[in-house]
Amino acid sequence: MNDGRLFQYELEPVVLKNEWKKTQVLTQLAKLNQEHRRLQDQYDQLQKDHNALLSHIKTSFKVLVDPLLHQAYLTALDGTIAAVNHHRELIVKHEEKKKVAMNLVATLELRDQAYQQHRKEQFVEFLSVEESRRLSELDREWSAKSLWQKMMEQQ
């Protein structure tokens, strides 16, 4: 009986392409995760700096009456607010990119599972066809041998 060593899956190039694409997306996702952590760390530091400046301004406004210094503090505060908001937007964009990448990985995984199932079905069909072919060959050999033996007996 054939053990399947001759089986060749016709969609193997497609399966490999799917695996390569999945590897690329997983690599991209890892990079996005690193960038997300970096942005989150920067965001946290900006938030701390903003809170420290805000706290400093609150105490300074109680003791200082210089309007130019107040204006400088408010300008600095506007800058920290803008930086925090900008980083928040960057984080949201990265989260969206990560969602897209994770959805693509999930889709590629589903394809992979479908290919594996199809490969199994094709392998079972291959074994069945090979077994039928082998049995047909044995039948032809037996028939030929029987015919030959009859001819030999008649001589």
Side-chain angles (χ1 to χ4, degrees), residues 53 57 61 64-79:
L53 181 61
I57 290 172
F61 275 15
L64 295 176
V65 286
D66 183 2
L68 291 176
L69 191 54
H70 284 228
Q71 183 62 38
Y73 278 144
L74 292 175
T75 301
L77 188 60
D78 284 344

Side-chain angles (χ1 to χ4, degrees), residues 48-66:
K48 286 178 188 175
D49 294 346
H50 171 75
N51 291 339
L53 181 61
L54 190 58
S55 176
H56 182 70
I57 290 172
K58 285 179 183 178
T59 57
S60 296
F61 275 15
K62 293 176 185 174
V63 290
L64 295 176
V65 286
D66 183 2

Side-chain angles (χ1 to χ4, degrees), residues 7-12 14-15 110-126:
F7 176 72
Q8 291 183 336
Y9 186 52
E10 294 175 7
L11 295 179
E12 193 65 32
V14 178
V15 171
L110 288 174
R111 281 186 194 165
D112 214 16
Q113 291 170 5
Y115 291 138
Q116 295 306 319
Q117 181 61 35
H118 184 253
R119 176 185 278 145
K120 287 177 188 176
E121 292 167 0
Q122 292 294 303
F123 183 70
V124 168
E125 184 177 330
F126 170 81

Side-chain angles (χ1 to χ4, degrees), residues 22 100-113:
K22 188 170 60 171
V100 168
M102 288 188 297
N103 286 339
L104 185 52
V105 168
T107 299
L108 293 170
E109 283 288 336
L110 288 174
R111 281 186 194 165
D112 214 16
Q113 291 170 5

Side-chain angles (χ1 to χ4, degrees), residues 2 12 17-19 24 26-27 34 39-41 43 56 64 68-70 81 84 91 105 110 112-113 145:
N2 189 340
E12 193 65 32
K17 184 178 177 182
N18 190 65
E19 289 174 5
Q24 287 176 331
L26 287 171
T27 302
Q34 279 183 322
L39 286 172
Q40 188 65 48
D41 290 344
Y43 175 80
H56 182 70
L64 295 176
L68 291 176
L69 191 54
H70 284 228
I81 291 171
V84 167
I91 289 170
V105 168
L110 288 174
D112 214 16
Q113 291 170 5
K145 187 176 180 181

